[in-house]
Amino acid sequence: MDTQQQQSSIQGAKVLMVGAGGIGCELLKTLALSGFQDIHIIDMDTIEVSNLNRQFLFRRSHVGQSKAKVARDAVLRFRPHINIRSYHANVKNPEFDVDFFKQFDVVLNGLDNLDARRHVNRLCLAADVPLVESGTTGFLGQVTVHVKGKTECYECQTKPAPKTYPVCTITSTPTKFVHCIVWAKDLLFAKLFGDKNQDNDLNVRANNAASSSKETEDVFERAEDEDIDQYGRKIYDHVFGYNIEAALSNEETWKNRRRPRPIYSKEVLPECMSQQNGSTQNCSATDDDSTVSAMPLLGLKNPQELWGLTQNSLVFIEALKLFFAKRKKVGEIGHLTFDKDDQLAVEFVTAAANIRAESFGIPLHSLFEAKGIAGNIVHAVATTNAIVAGLIVIEAIKVLKKDADKYRMTYCLEHPSRKMLLMPVEPFEPNPACYVCSKTPLVLEINTRKSKLRDLVDKIVTAKLGMNLPLVMHGASLLYEVGDDLDAIMVANYNANLEKSLSELPSPVINGSILTVEDLQQELSCKINVKHREEFDEEKEPEGMVLSGWTQSPATNGESASTSNNENEKAVDVTESSSGPEMASKKRRLSETQPENDKKETENVESDDDELMEIENPVMVSKKKKRVE
């Protein structure tokens, strides 16, 4: 195809972009400058202050506005004659169905979560529209091409499970700062400012609790006339003092571990906080709750400064006071969840995590470092986003030209490999074991007499298979369905089925049964072969069921209690051949002309830090990479 024909195909193409964030902004700009005339953008997010350092289509005046709309308006200023349509909506909304996707020549993803990526992948397969997938993590990035029947789909290969931590480690025996962050964010913050009725180990009381406290007292409940300083100290003493003493009472736990130190407010805080630090009423915060901060009250300015125990304790109390002074008035207390863009929430979680870390002899971290961990983020690099956006457009042009022999998966590396920072790899053909694009049956081991249909729907169909509007059938019997067109009788029947064990359903599901599970919105259908199993290991198999053939691998190091949200993708594994860089894999490539004896051996090189983190557009590439010898 000559240059004129190529330009004609670009100008005549109708492109769908999903995501208008870090990659999306760069991608929209590059598409417009490359000659694309008809672009549609879907993004449900609004602009945050933290976006402005890398999402260059946005300005401070745009904070709070739709990303998709502002990005569209920004690009139309320098390309006013092209057609850009924005949708401030969730790509999983019913209006974005298979027929909607069919109108496009190619779909370009710049998403930030696995669930949405899987959803778009399935819609592209159903609509037979090519998909170009992408992601970045700091200096790492990747772009992959997915064409139905020719290359693997997004779900053909394993997506290692999010980094998880056992609940007992978080609540009783933390050894890393991330354990303290998870405790402060998912347990303490949620208990204080979220649903106080949730049951967690923070309610434990020591045997020698204050004589004025009854064992049945809910320490987290604040009385109407209770002084806020007194309440803050009570919480402080409870979680950092009494609960630590309670943990120390179990001598067996600490035989081979470092014993933690109980910390009480009287040891580190002045007698009268309000006189020393001023009143929260005089806080200089604006009306925007996300900018309220305890730091100015305490003379703290640098987020990269390492606070000591006293400073962390002061921030803890002041942040708690500000939450009740500022957020209770608008009815948010009791309904809050942690948000990394909420300055006060980050300050509170940082302070709480550092106090707990001090107690357990774990090195403290700055606010800047703690925010990165609490938000499961690796700080974004704008240059990586720009490089990946350019690679997306290059692959999109190849797709429009139908030049399948030149499709490439391209990996951006942090350090040069054979003097290259961009590693192109031939795409792989579809995985015959993929339940999404190859319709391979799954196997579910489950106790059919004890497990309810609700367990199967919640833990397997929705959580693992990612179906939004599921339908479950056993033979010709419809066991469960979701939809707006169901009458009251049908809804009642399906709800009743949810509470029945599998073997007690109208069409009993027993050993050897084959279930059909469908999602009509995604036009996805798969078979599940049921295998009855009596017992499960509560620690290794906490869900009480095991799904085989599913493309997500087990949790790292056998840990099972999920407390963080980050997702990760396969590590880069490179070999060298006479025809250029290739991915080391047992999978067959689209073209298999490379003789085996041309391939060199590889050596696994592990980094010191194997923690997996996620940023706005995660590739989820582990820091533990395999590199060419």
Side-chain angles (χ1 to χ4, degrees):
M1 181 181 290
D2 59 33
T3 304
Q4 186 174 356
Q5 288 177 310
Q6 176 176 306
Q7 195 62 29
S8 176
S9 67
I10 290 174
Q11 293 176 350
K14 191 171 185 178
V15 178
L16 174 62
M17 275 179 51
V18 188
I23 292 178
C25 281
E26 295 288 347
L27 178 57
L28 181 58
K29 175 201 69 177
T30 306
L31 286 171
L33 293 175
S34 300
F36 286 84
Q37 302 287 312
D38 192 358
I39 308 168
H40 293 235
I41 319 166
I42 302 174
D43 196 302
M44 65 182 290
D45 287 340
T46 55
I47 298 164
E48 303 280 354
V49 173
S50 60
N51 301 147
L52 302 181
N53 70 332
R54 65 193 180 280
Q55 298 174 21
F56 299 129
L57 297 181
F58 308 145
R59 297 294 181 266
R60 184 170 289 274
S61 61
H62 297 139
V63 171
Q65 298 181 39
S66 163
K67 285 187 175 182
K69 183 180 183 304
V70 173
R72 169 190 178 274
D73 294 344
V75 170
L76 286 178
R77 289 194 193 96
F78 60 85
R79 280 293 184 272
H81 303 300
I82 69 175
N83 175 52
I84 304 178
R85 183 172 179 182
S86 63
Y87 306 83
H88 179 56
N90 190 333
V91 71
K92 296 172 71 175
N93 287 352
E95 63 263 34
F96 305 122
D97 56 10
V98 173
D99 288 336
F100 175 84
F101 273 70
K102 282 181 178 178
Q103 66 182 298
F104 298 101
D105 297 296
V106 65
V107 176
L108 314 177
N109 260 1
L111 287 163
D112 63 357
N113 67 88
L114 177 62
D115 189 42
R117 281 182 162 121
R118 293 195 302 185
H119 183 75
V120 172
N121 175 62
R122 295 170 186 187
L123 287 173
C124 287
L125 287 171
D128 198 10
V129 176
L131 169 66
V132 182
E133 181 60 74
S134 68
T136 63
T137 301
F139 292 102
L140 303 176
Q142 72 177 32
V143 174
T144 56
V145 182
H146 306 284
V147 180
K148 184 177 181 179
K150 295 183 179 179
T151 71
E152 63 182 12
C153 80
Y154 177 72
E155 297 176 77
C156 273
Q157 299 305 319
T158 59
K159 305 292 184 292
K163 183 68 176 180
T164 60
Y165 306 100
V167 171
C168 59
T169 299
I170 300 303
T171 58
S172 303
T173 57
T175 57
K176 300 179 180 179
F177 187 71
V178 66
H179 298 158
C180 300
I181 285 286
V182 172
W183 174 88
K185 181 180 71 168
D186 294 349
L187 297 183
L188 183 58
F189 184 91
K191 187 68 175 176
L192 280 170
F193 310 120
D195 183 6
K196 287 186 171 59
N197 294 320
Q198 66 175 308
D199 185 25
N200 66 40
D201 289 348
L202 294 180
N203 291 97
V204 172
R205 295 303 300 261
N207 294 331
N208 61 343
S211 58
S212 61
S213 301
K214 297 179 181 179
E215 288 298 317
T216 57
E217 174 193 4
D218 183 356
V219 71
F220 292 94
E221 191 66 35
R222 183 190 174 200
E224 287 296 328
D225 59 347
E226 187 173 9
D227 178 75
I228 186 61
D229 276 327
Q230 183 180 358
Y231 175 73
R233 289 172 181 269
K234 180 177 71 173
I235 297 298
Y236 188 105
D237 291 341
H238 176 78
V239 296
F240 302 120
Y242 301 141
N243 280 1
I244 299 298
E245 286 192 17
L248 286 170
S249 64
N250 185 352
E251 293 292 338
E252 190 68 27
T253 302
W254 310 106
K255 279 187 175 181
N256 300 308
R257 291 185 175 94
R258 177 175 177 173
R259 296 170 65 88
R261 173 173 70 93
I263 302 173
Y264 290 93
S265 60
K266 63 183 179 182
E267 301 171 10
V268 291
L269 294 173
E271 285 298 321
C272 186
M273 292 274 300
S274 40
Q275 286 183 9
Q276 175 169 326
N277 300 313
S279 170
T280 57
Q281 300 304 319
N282 298 323
C283 177
S284 60
T286 66
D287 291 335
D288 182 2
D289 284 341
S290 66
T291 64
V292 174
S293 172
M295 291 174 63
L297 294 170
L298 303 168
L300 302 173
K301 298 179 181 180
N302 185 1
Q304 297 189 19
E305 178 186 354
L306 193 62
W307 302 336
L309 176 59
T310 298
Q311 289 172 309
N312 279 293
S313 300
L314 289 170
V315 171
F316 178 90
I317 297 295
E318 290 297 338
L320 184 145
K321 289 163 62 177
L322 281 170
F323 266 113
F324 279 92
K326 298 288 184 179
R327 307 292 175 84
K328 193 170 185 179
K329 294 178 181 177
V330 292
E332 291 184 353
I333 299 297
H335 307 283
L336 286 171
T337 55
F338 177 81
D339 182 352
K340 64 180 172 60
D341 293 313
D342 184 336
Q343 175 67 16
L344 193 60
V346 173
E347 290 174 5
F348 179 85
V349 166
T350 298
N354 272 329
I355 299 167
R356 186 166 174 82
E358 176 74 20
S359 177
F360 282 85
I362 299 169
L364 309 190
H365 285 57
S366 69
L367 179 79
F368 179 80
E369 294 168 324
K371 180 178 180 179
I373 299 170
N376 296 324
I377 62 172
V378 173
H379 295 286
V381 177
T383 305
T384 311
N385 289 339
I387 292 170
V388 164
L391 292 170
I392 293 172
V393 175
I394 290 172
E395 294 305 321
I397 292 172
K398 294 177 187 176
V399 167
L400 294 174
K401 293 167 61 178
K402 301 187 185 304
D403 200 350
D405 291 340
K406 294 184 179 179
Y407 293 165
R408 289 294 182 271
M409 301 187 296
T410 305
Y411 293 83
C412 301
L413 307 180
E414 184 173 357
H415 303 287
S417 175
R418 285 168 294 139
K419 299 182 179 181
M420 290 192 297
L421 285 172
L422 296 180
M423 186 67 65
V425 179
E426 290 184 34
F428 301 108
E429 61 186 24
N431 181 357
C434 176
Y435 74 93
V436 176
C437 66
S438 299
K439 309 301 181 185
T440 300
L442 303 170
V443 176
L444 176 65
E445 297 178 63
I446 190 170
N447 189 320
T448 56
R449 289 190 287 270
K450 293 182 180 179
S451 296
K452 297 179 180 180
L453 179 62
R454 179 181 297 279
D455 298 325
L456 185 145
V457 171
D458 290 346
K459 297 178 181 179
I460 301 297
V461 179
T462 303
K464 286 186 167 58
L465 301 185
M467 295 190 176
N468 304 314
L469 300 175
L471 178 150
V472 182
M473 296 184 67
H474 182 211
S477 178
L478 184 56
L479 302 177
Y480 180 72
E481 184 180 8
V482 175
D484 296 330
D485 57 344
L486 303 179
D487 59 42
I489 296 177
M490 296 172 69
V491 171
N493 287 338
Y494 294 146
N495 287 339
N497 282 348
L498 287 175
E499 304 308 321
K500 296 177 181 178
S501 67
L502 296 179
S503 61
E504 293 174 341
L505 290 167
S507 177
V509 176
I510 57 175
N511 186 58
S513 294
I514 300 177
L515 297 175
T516 300
V517 183
E518 298 182 7
D519 187 309
L520 300 181
Q521 183 187 15
Q522 299 174 350
E523 294 193 9
L524 173 67
S525 176
C526 66
K527 302 288 186 182
I528 300 179
N529 296 331
V530 177
K531 181 179 179 181
H532 176 78
R533 180 172 155 191
E534 282 290 332
E535 301 294 337
F536 292 86
D537 187 313
E538 292 184 2
E539 186 173 332
K540 296 181 179 179
E541 301 161 331
E543 293 177 334
M545 57 191 73
V546 176
L547 183 67
S548 304
W550 173 48
T551 57
Q552 183 161 336
S553 66
T556 308
N557 299 329
E559 297 163 335
S560 58
S562 178
T563 52
S564 76
N565 248 348
N566 53 313
E567 301 156 351
N568 47 347
E569 196 154 319
K570 55 193 174 188
V572 179
D573 187 3
V574 184
T575 61
E576 185 175 356
S577 71
S578 59
S579 60
E582 298 175 7
M583 295 292 288
S585 175
K586 294 181 180 178
K587 299 178 291 182
R588 291 180 296 166
R589 300 188 308 278
L590 291 181
S591 60
E592 291 190 307
T593 58
Q594 178 63 30
E596 286 297 317
N597 56 10
D598 280 353
K599 296 182 181 179
K600 296 185 179 181
E601 294 294 324
T602 63
E603 176 185 6
N604 294 351
V605 180
E606 299 185 1
S607 64
D608 293 333
D609 183 5
D610 193 30
E611 293 294 329
L612 300 173
M613 296 184 182
E614 161 188 315
I615 67 163
E616 177 189 344
N617 298 284
V619 200
M620 286 55 102
V621 177
S622 169
K623 292 182 180 178
K624 183 187 289 183
K625 299 186 291 291
K626 297 179 182 178
R627 298 219 183 119
V628 176
E629 183 177 6

